[in-house]
Amino acid sequence: MKKILIVTILAAGVLGACTKNISELNNNPKAPENAPGEGLFSNAQKAFTDIMTTPNVNQNIFELIVQFWAETTYPQESQYDLGERNIPQNWWTILYRDVIKDYDQAKVLIRQETALTTEDQKIKANKLAIAEICEVYAYSVVLNTFGNIPYTEALNPDNTTPKFDDAKTVYYALLDSLDASLAQLDPNYESFGSNDLIYGGDVAKWIKFANSLKLDLGLLIADADPAKAKTVVEAAAPNVFQSNSDNAVFQYLSAPPNVNPIWTNLVQSNRNDFVPAKTLIDTMNALNDPRRPFYFTLDPNGNYSGGIPGAGNTYANFSHTSDMTKAPDFPSIWLDDAQVEFDLAEAVERGFNVGGTAQSHYNKAITASIEYWGGTSTDALAYLAQPSVNYLTAPGNWKHKIGIQSWIALYLRGWQAWTQWRKLDYPALQKAANALTDIPVRYTYPINEQTLNKANYDAASQAIGGDDVTTKLFWDKY
């Protein structure tokens, strides 16, 4: 992280019609015309982590949608108002322009590097494969937020009105790209070294990450295409994360500009816009969850309490997110062992051959989460022994059990929690007070696409069943 090269580069035409006045981005006198591919790769990793982590309501409101947090003075975003702050546009633009385009350009520059020896060629191949894996992850986030998206024409600077590709077709192409990248990785050779801000260039770790991502993406289509999901999941399962030591974690630093955006928005800004949501805290209180002191502070009465989603809540009356989570160097997780183990538990319940039992994977998932947050194995055993948590006695079907516990474990990873909730339909969230709509299951398309790329926008909207927050994506069958 200390060696990160922050490249100030805005690529013209990255999104086609995805930003206003995009022609102004063609020339930037302060930016280098040619940047090292490794630097662009680092920049994309940080930009991706920032947008997935930030609680800035202009960009990312998933903590509010999944009711991890509630708002205080200004509750509009908790009520699913996406338009006032142009949230879909900002999410879309940052992911395409600052993340996907940088990964793509990094690959272009790395391909141009001279590699004369076998070792150099292997290192170059590893770099290209890792950049592709990261780009696949970023594309999957855009797709699983909106549905049909620009893909085959998205990065052509000469095409300002890119077509929207069918989401299912793109999704399967992303899975193919993951497989191709996995086949290219060779753990006997180096890659990005310190320019890789997740694994420090450890290719063996990236192999586990790519398989874990493949597992997660495979399960997401299990209701829509169980045969394809089974093939994908069973191929990935033998090579996924085994412990928290495999977690894909971005370590922020203690001083700007490389700090966690939670600190930037909650501490540096000196704002009190959020409190933990009653939905999450009441659930954890009922389960005597040992992660509460790591997630939250106590309220003035010495209890854990949360505000009502969608209502205006008084900041001083409730618990707050913990000091640990507001530290400038608090790390951000891309993917972790707990999520993988919950996925494996789900795979067993779906009849996929991944080894183990649903209960054993469920137990491992909860234990991994508790230990990662600072609890002990003893804490985990006591928690799992409760009838309300024990897999054999906890209420509800397997979707309910895994849904509740994975939601708790995904705290501060709002987009991932939202996606898991859409897949499993648990916890049974109720829409926020004064909500403008039902709980969103997708973002509406950005306003720039509606106005500057109207023909393709209209076609995409019709293809998915309407550009509404309640329109389900192709994999969301229930």
Side-chain angles (χ1 to χ4, degrees), residues 21 26 49 86-87 91 102 122 142 147 160 179 188 232 314 334 364 373:
N21 303 319
N26 286 329
T49 311
N86 209 7
I87 297 166
W91 181 259
D102 274 8
K122 290 287 188 178
V142 180
T160 59
D179 284 339
N188 296 311
V232 172
T314 302
W334 280 24
K364 288 178 182 177
W373 277 92

Side-chain angles (χ1 to χ4, degrees), residues 17 33 42 59 93 95 104 118 173 181 200 210 245 343 385 412:
E33 292 186 6
S42 301
Q59 300 170 0
T93 300
L95 282 166
D104 189 71
T118 299
S181 298
S245 64
D343 282 346
L412 296 185

